[in-house]
Amino acid sequence: MLGLASSPRALRWLSSGVRTQARARALTPAPAPGRISRETAPYSTVPLSYDLHEPAKPVADKQTSPVIFMHGLFGSKKNNRSMSKVLARDLGRYIYTVDLRNHGDSPHHHQHDYPAMASDVAEFIQQHGLKEPTLIGHSMGAKTAMAVALQHPELVANIVSVDNAPVDVRLASDFARYIQGMQKIEEAGVARQADADKILEPYEKSLTIRQFLLGNLHRPDPAQPVQKFRVPLSILARSLDHLGDFPFKDPSQVRFTKPALFVRGTRSKYVPDDVLPLIGQFFPLFELADIDAGHWVISEKPEEFRQAVIRFLEPKE
């Protein structure tokens, strides 16, 4: 069992609906891992599709201190479009919303785990010449942001992890059930989203979640009415166990000693109190913002989330 390597210091944020509870600091620094170059990286990277949201009054060019926004499982860059526009406006920074591998318009690849996704994002940062970016990720995107920070700390200024933690957990059975329902839709060869929704309803009662999942449907052949999912269901089905894992196990060997914000939904189970000491070991300068929401923090409480991010990223005196 890991011992407590950090001592929380209470903080208060004067923002409605947001409660910052702790900043943990390491007692001793750990050596940062070396950069994994494209030539020596053990993972084949894929080029990530992205949208660029430009601020009306930029404080720097699009390569300096941008934000890279990453979605969760079954999501895409479209999910964070509205929040990215707001953050670009409020921060004066360019926001890159990306499609992670096997999602949205990014290429499919048989390997779908956090080291591979982290390598994709590191390659994206280097290819676009981005300097000191902030990484924001929700759920699967949160663990990807953590993995990039630990694997390539020299490429990242800070991170915002939304409702996930650097621990191995078993994914809820909901995700496997979603894939079963989505596979049934493809087998049925549906032409209308209403028909797809009827097939999916026995697998998920929430209309909001069904609409989120069905947002992945498209017509690969415009001349044919049959709809398919953009996400490769068979690859994701085989990868579910990997998506519950976290690739770094020993915080005495690797730490991200730059600022990190962990935003959690207080009605979600993904960041329980008992993992906070481990977060402090991997991310000794972490801050914690609690928002009265479930797992879908950004869509459930967008204003509280915006306030938390602005507070974290605004210049400190």
Side-chain angles (χ1 to χ4, degrees):
M1 184 174 180
L2 293 171
L4 180 63
S6 54
S7 174
R9 178 167 60 88
L11 298 174
R12 290 185 180 275
W13 281 3
L14 301 178
S15 57
S16 174
V18 181
R19 180 164 53 90
T20 300
Q21 289 188 253
R23 178 189 290 264
R25 294 189 178 276
L27 297 179
T28 56
R35 175 174 175 174
I36 300 177
S37 69
R38 182 174 182 178
E39 290 74 23
T40 61
Y43 304 101
S44 298
T45 60
V46 302
L48 301 181
S49 177
Y50 70 96
D51 289 335
L52 178 60
H53 300 278
E54 302 184 13
K57 299 179 179 179
V59 298
D61 60 48
K62 64 183 180 181
Q63 293 176 303
T64 304
S65 300
V67 174
I68 301 174
F69 215 139
M70 293 171 284
H71 58 81
L73 182 59
F74 302 123
S76 74
K77 59 182 179 291
K78 296 185 298 182
N79 301 140
N80 300 312
R81 182 180 296 161
S82 297
M83 182 57 64
S84 295
K85 291 179 179 179
V86 170
L87 291 177
R89 177 199 68 195
D90 293 348
L91 295 171
R93 293 165 64 174
Y94 287 82
I95 313 288
Y96 292 82
T97 57
V98 300
D99 284 332
L100 297 174
R101 62 168 55 196
N102 295 314
H103 287 74
D105 297 318
S106 286
H108 296 176
H109 193 282
H110 66 89
Q111 185 172 13
H112 192 87
D113 55 29
Y114 293 113
M117 286 186 280
S119 294
D120 292 342
V121 175
E123 182 79 357
F124 181 88
I125 293 170
Q126 294 176 78
Q127 283 186 338
H128 291 269
L130 305 184
K131 305 167 187 174
E132 297 291 305
T134 293
L135 304 185
I136 301 179
H138 172 251
S139 195
M140 179 182 76
K143 277 191 171 177
T144 301
M146 289 182 250
V148 176
L150 293 171
Q151 187 170 303
H152 304 277
E154 76 286 355
L155 295 181
V156 181
N158 45 49
I159 68 167
V160 178
S161 169
V162 187
D163 213 51
N164 218 332
V167 293
D168 292 343
V169 296
R170 182 179 294 276
L171 287 186
S173 59
D174 297 354
F175 294 105
R177 193 172 66 246
Y178 296 160
I179 290 179
Q180 291 174 2
M182 295 162 81
Q183 288 172 331
K184 291 290 186 183
I185 291 170
E186 288 207 335
E187 291 169 5
V190 300
R192 300 190 311 148
Q193 186 155 323
D195 295 331
D197 186 64
K198 289 179 181 178
I199 295 173
L200 191 58
E201 187 173 7
Y203 298 88
E204 174 51 57
K205 297 303 180 185
S206 169
L207 176 60
T208 300
I209 295 178
R210 294 202 308 272
Q211 290 175 335
F212 165 72
L213 296 172
L214 295 176
N216 286 289
L217 280 173
H218 75 128
R219 287 188 173 87
D221 183 353
Q224 299 294 327
V226 175
Q227 298 192 49
K228 299 286 185 181
F229 285 99
R230 293 183 186 275
V231 293
L233 298 176
S234 59
I235 292 175
L236 295 183
R238 293 194 302 269
S239 303
L240 287 181
D241 288 342
H242 297 304
L243 297 180
D245 293 340
F246 189 66
F248 296 92
K249 311 300 182 185
D250 186 355
S252 70
Q253 297 299 314
V254 58
R255 290 176 182 160
F256 182 68
T257 56
K258 300 177 186 179
L261 174 65
F262 282 73
V263 180
R264 67 174 175 176
T266 56
R267 290 182 275 111
S268 172
K269 63 181 181 181
Y270 284 95
V271 191
D273 288 342
D274 59 8
V275 306
L276 297 183
L278 183 60
I279 292 174
Q281 291 176 329
F282 277 118
F283 301 92
L285 297 184
F286 90 100
E287 299 175 7
L288 179 67
D290 278 351
I291 295 179
D292 181 20
H295 182 57
W296 307 94
V297 178
I298 301 172
S299 59
E300 291 180 41
K301 294 294 179 69
E303 176 56 20
E304 288 85 345
F305 175 77
R306 183 194 70 82
Q307 289 181 25
V309 172
I310 295 298
R311 174 67 180 177
F312 174 67
L313 292 179
E314 68 183 3
K316 304 295 191 294
E317 295 183 358

